[in-house]
Amino acid sequence: MKFRSALLAVGALALTVGLSGCYESSDVTRFEPGEYKGADDPLLAKLEDPEFRAELDSRFDGQRDR
Amino acid sequence: MARMKFLCDADRCIECNGCVTACKNANDVPWGVNRRRVITLNDGLPGEKSISVACMHCTDAPCAAVCPTDCFYTTTDGIVLHDKDLCIGCGYCFYACPFGAPQFPTTQAFGVRGKMDKCTFCAGGPDEPGSASEYQKYGANRIADGKLPACAEMCATKALLAGDGDLVADIYRNRMMSRDGRPQTWGWAKAYGAGA
């Protein structure tokens, strides 16, 4: 009887330890497909600067035929 | 907001490959990779035309649509860029691109493609503009310095135009006014839509 209850206790312990390995965190990071996942490009902020834009536009305008 | 586009005026291109050389020089492009190339149609025949081709920075970029790691992003100016830290070199973008723009260095063993490399409109990548890591991965960031892409800036005949689509179209329209024939905005309909 004593042996049987000890066996049951060991079995329950093994089951608990075994099942804990199957635990899966539900706190997952979900990404929308087609959504850029990399680092932010600092150039994007620079392109918003009107002064920089004007400089860039004048450079582009230099492609006109003389 | 500007919408950056490339336009190659086929009537002006003299196939000098200056754009290819300028690109390779400015961006330190490795051997085996050509971000830009000059294609000649009807080579050697009367009326042959040459076109300088690179990434056209499409409005609805097919490369970005098929990328399994979503490493592509588009700037507010419409420049299509990618993050090499995310690229796994699967090559899907190469199959999707109608211009053959994505390139892969083939210097590794067992046919490993390596990270994809393509024209960045000389706008670098997501690293700090002008940093050593950006230059090593993506090449020069001339846009951040207020300059044109090296290929367009170096074009001796001004056949290759780069910049805001409205400005590029205006320059080309003025040229067409003094020419016979129909405008040939090669690749524009495919890259920017039928109405472009």
Side-chain angles (χ1 to χ4, degrees):
Chain A
M1 190 70 185
K2 233 178 188 179
F3 175 72
R4 197 177 165 191
S5 56
L7 198 65
L8 272 173
V10 169
L13 187 68
L15 194 69
T16 311
V17 170
L19 285 177
S20 68
C22 302
Y23 171 76
E24 190 179 347
S25 171
S26 58
D27 185 23
V28 293
T29 308
R30 290 177 192 275
F31 290 110
E32 286 298 315
E35 190 181 280
Y36 173 62
K37 302 175 183 70
D40 290 334
D41 190 346
L43 179 67
L44 301 185
K46 196 171 181 182
L47 285 170
E48 301 295 320
D49 180 13
E51 252 181 56
F52 176 68
R53 279 243 65 101
E55 185 189 340
L56 209 53
D57 287 345
S58 72
R59 185 88 172 200
F60 288 154
D61 208 44
Q63 293 178 104
R64 287 185 188 281
D65 295 330
R66 292 190 195 99
Chain B
M1 183 54 75
R3 169 67 179 90
M4 301 299 186
K5 292 177 182 178
F6 276 125
L7 173 68
C8 183
D9 188 343
D11 289 320
R12 281 203 177 193
C13 183
I14 55 170
E15 200 194 346
C16 69
N17 277 281
C19 49
V20 179
T21 311
C23 174
K24 288 199 87 113
N25 187 46
N27 298 306
D28 209 3
V29 181
W31 282 103
V33 173
N34 264 3
R35 291 184 179 183
R36 178 168 286 283
R37 66 189 72 191
V38 177
I39 309 288
T40 302
L41 308 171
N42 298 325
D43 199 0
L45 300 174
E48 70 167 37
K49 298 264 188 225
S50 295
I51 312 155
S52 178
V53 187
C55 171
M56 292 289 280
H57 303 274
C58 301
T59 303
D60 186 12
C63 52
V66 299
C67 180
T69 60
D70 293 321
C71 75
F72 291 91
Y73 64 100
T74 306
T75 69
T76 44
D77 279 5
I79 304 171
V80 179
L81 300 173
H82 71 297
D83 187 338
K84 282 196 179 181
D85 293 336
L86 294 181
C87 178
I88 55 171
C90 67
Y92 287 7
C93 50
F94 175 75
Y95 298 118
C97 178
F99 302 103
Q103 302 281 300
F104 295 88
T106 51
T107 52
Q108 295 175 51
F110 308 114
V112 174
R113 287 194 180 94
K115 308 279 185 188
M116 186 273 277
D117 193 89
K118 76 169 189 73
C119 159
T120 63
F121 209 86
C122 283
D127 292 15
E128 191 59 37
S131 64
S133 68
E134 186 192 46
Y135 186 77
Q136 193 256 326
K137 281 191 262 186
Y138 309 101
N141 193 338
R142 294 170 57 87
I143 294 289
D145 295 337
K147 295 176 184 169
L148 284 169
C151 52
E153 199 122 54
M154 203 61 75
C155 183
T157 59
K158 287 192 167 50
L160 185 61
L161 301 168
D164 178 23
D166 290 340
L167 173 81
V168 167
D170 189 43
I171 294 171
Y172 189 64
R173 195 180 305 116
N174 286 337
R175 287 181 187 176
M176 285 311 299
M177 303 269 271
S178 58
R179 276 186 209 161
D180 290 337
R182 294 175 60 78
Q184 294 175 333
T185 51
W186 188 89
W188 267 41
K190 191 155 275 274
Y192 312 126

